[in-house]
């Protein structure tokens, strides 16, 4: 398992809640500002490979950025989609966390327990 990568935007409420949860559990993570250090095409491919619903899982479809698009993202090739997201990172849902094997998008405490070693502690407490 790789180090936990936390793609975030500090003023995002879900990102702040997720970061608070991670810190309260003592989870070590590598934080990356989504807009200053936009994920590379390779990083985005790795993220997409871990999704269950493809691009729908990582796209912020309710965002102004998405609503202002004059294109149907479903019609884009993978490379076109990757280039679009790199150019407009606000199209990504936030936060995105991955350990290389699993993916959590948005604030999801159950998902966070599953992606961190805190799952065992949580399971032991409820047993």
């Amino acid at each position: 398992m790789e180090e936990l990568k936390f793609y975030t935007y500090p003023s995002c409420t879900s990102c702040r809640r997720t970061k608070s949860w991670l810190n309260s559990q003592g989870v070590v993570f590598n934080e990356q500002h989504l807009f200053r250090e936009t994920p590379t095409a390779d990083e985005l491919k790795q993220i997409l490979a871990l999704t269950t619903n493809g691009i729908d899982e990582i796209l912020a479809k309710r965002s102004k950025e998405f609503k202002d698009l004059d294109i149907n993202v479903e019609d884009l090739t993978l490379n076109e989609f990757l280039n679009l997201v790199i150019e407009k990172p606000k199209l990504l849902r936030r936060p995105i966390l991955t350990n290389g094997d699993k993916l959590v998008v948005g604030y999801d405490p159950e998902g966070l327990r599953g992606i961190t070693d805190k799952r065992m502690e949580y399971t032991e407490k409820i047993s």
Side-chain angles (χ1 to χ4, degrees), residues 39-56:
T40 65
D42 286 339
E43 288 173 311
L44 289 168
K45 284 179 189 176
Q46 290 172 347
I47 290 168
L48 281 169
L50 297 173
T51 64
T52 53
N53 296 320
I55 64 173
D56 287 339

Side-chain angles (χ1 to χ4, degrees), residues 102-114:
K102 297 179 183 176
L103 179 73
V104 176
V105 181
Y107 177 66
D108 175 6
E110 188 62 35
L112 292 171
R113 281 189 281 279

Side-chain angles (χ1 to χ4, degrees), residues 12-99:
C12 160
T13 302
S14 294
C15 296
R16 289 194 310 266
R17 290 175 70 193
T18 299
K19 186 174 183 177
S20 176
W21 188 94
L22 293 169
N23 286 330
S24 74
Q25 300 298 312
V27 176
V28 177
F29 56 91
N30 178 5
E31 188 171 356
Q32 183 171 328
H33 191 294
L34 266 172
F35 305 151
R36 288 190 204 139
E37 302 172 75
T38 304
T40 65
D42 286 339
E43 288 173 311
L44 289 168
K45 284 179 189 176
Q46 290 172 347
I47 290 168
L48 281 169
L50 297 173
T51 64
T52 53
N53 296 320
I55 64 173
D56 287 339
E57 197 167 327
I58 64 168
L59 272 179
K61 291 189 173 183
R62 293 183 292 174
S63 70
K64 180 182 181 333
E65 194 83 18
F66 183 81
K67 290 176 182 175
D68 289 345
L69 287 178
D70 283 341
I71 55 174
N72 181 353
V73 293
E74 301 291 333
D75 294 337
L76 299 176
T77 66
L78 176 60
N79 285 333
E80 289 170 336
F81 173 76
L82 295 173
N83 289 333
L84 176 66
V85 172
I86 290 168
E87 180 184 319
K88 299 175 183 279
K90 288 185 178 181
L91 290 172
L92 291 170
R93 286 185 59 205
R94 302 175 286 277
I96 297 173
L97 293 97
T98 182
N99 63 4

